[in-house]
Amino acid sequence: MKYAKTTVAVAAAALLGSAALLAAPGEGRGKADTNGDGAISKTEMLAAADARFAKMDANGDGVLNKGDKEARAKQHFAKMDADGNGSVTEAEFLAAKQARMEKRQARHAEMKGKRKGRKGMRRGGKRGKMMAMMKKADINGDQAISRAEFTAAAEARFVKADANGDGSVTKEERRAARKAMRGGKGKGRYAG
């Protein structure tokens, strides 16, 4: 069964984001290590996964699917429609574009030092990996990922990363898990 592009985009972004849950502060976008002890407990991971799912579920229907893409488009339009009159003028469009560019430039400037000497993620094969991740997480095959499916996928990643089975994932275990996900290739973007 083929998945619609929009469903793949939404769900894959969510699943790829769940991989970042195992990153510690300063490593990628992960913020799961809430107590700052350098290890991520299952409780911390589940809380981070729940927050990630809530953010991705733009329409609040409890599943990640094409409806979320549509909801995000509406939110984006409403954000551009500064005066709230239901239409976007050229001035509003240009102001929104400028704001996005400034935000992007600030994010790049912030990350510049962190990325020094590191290679970015390669794009080759990314869509295939996304499709595989989605099919694996979509247990019932309905082309949508429920909160339960998302949590199960995050838990499976956690268990796989927890090499010694002690219920927490250390920085070394996170590095090993990321390396294994990439097929053992190099350090990549999130390794430190």
Side-chain angles (χ1 to χ4, degrees):
M1 176 183 276
K2 287 193 173 187
Y3 289 90
K5 275 187 175 182
T6 53
T7 304
V8 170
V10 171
L15 288 171
L16 288 174
S18 73
L21 296 176
L22 292 178
E27 292 182 33
R29 296 177 296 169
K31 296 180 176 108
D33 183 14
T34 56
N35 64 7
D37 67 355
I40 298 170
S41 70
K42 189 170 183 178
T43 302
E44 288 173 318
M45 181 278 303
L46 289 173
D50 191 51
R52 165 82 56 188
F53 184 90
K55 184 176 180 178
M56 296 299 296
D57 186 16
N59 63 4
D61 66 355
V63 294
L64 302 178
N65 58 20
K66 69 179 181 175
D68 296 305
K69 184 175 181 180
E70 294 164 1
R72 268 193 289 294
K74 287 180 182 179
Q75 291 169 354
H76 183 67
F77 179 86
K79 200 173 185 180
M80 283 194 301
D81 184 15
D83 60 8
N85 69 351
S87 64
V88 176
T89 65
E90 182 179 2
E92 288 171 323
F93 177 81
L94 293 173
K97 182 179 177 182
Q98 182 65 33
R100 280 192 315 272
M101 285 179 20
E102 289 171 4
K103 186 176 179 180
R104 186 178 302 127
Q105 287 171 344
R107 193 170 51 240
H108 284 281
E110 179 184 331
M111 294 302 294
K112 189 175 183 178
K114 294 178 184 178
R115 290 184 178 161
K116 189 174 183 177
R118 297 182 182 178
K119 295 180 181 179
M121 289 180 69
R122 290 186 169 84
R123 295 191 183 265
K126 193 172 185 180
R127 186 168 191 275
K129 288 178 185 175
M130 286 187 231
M131 291 292 287
M133 289 174 74
M134 181 170 174
K135 285 181 182 179
K136 189 173 183 179
D138 185 12
I139 296 166
N140 62 5
D142 66 353
Q143 299 182 23
I145 298 184
S146 68
R147 183 179 296 269
E149 289 171 324
F150 186 84
T151 301
E155 283 185 275
R157 287 191 152 193
F158 182 86
V159 168
K160 193 172 183 179
D162 185 11
N164 64 3
D166 68 351
S168 67
V169 179
T170 64
K171 185 175 184 178
E172 292 77 22
E173 288 172 321
R174 290 190 301 270
R175 284 182 182 160
R178 285 189 301 272
K179 187 174 182 179
M181 282 176 47
R182 289 187 307 274
K185 297 177 183 171
K187 285 191 171 186
R189 179 175 167 181
Y190 296 114

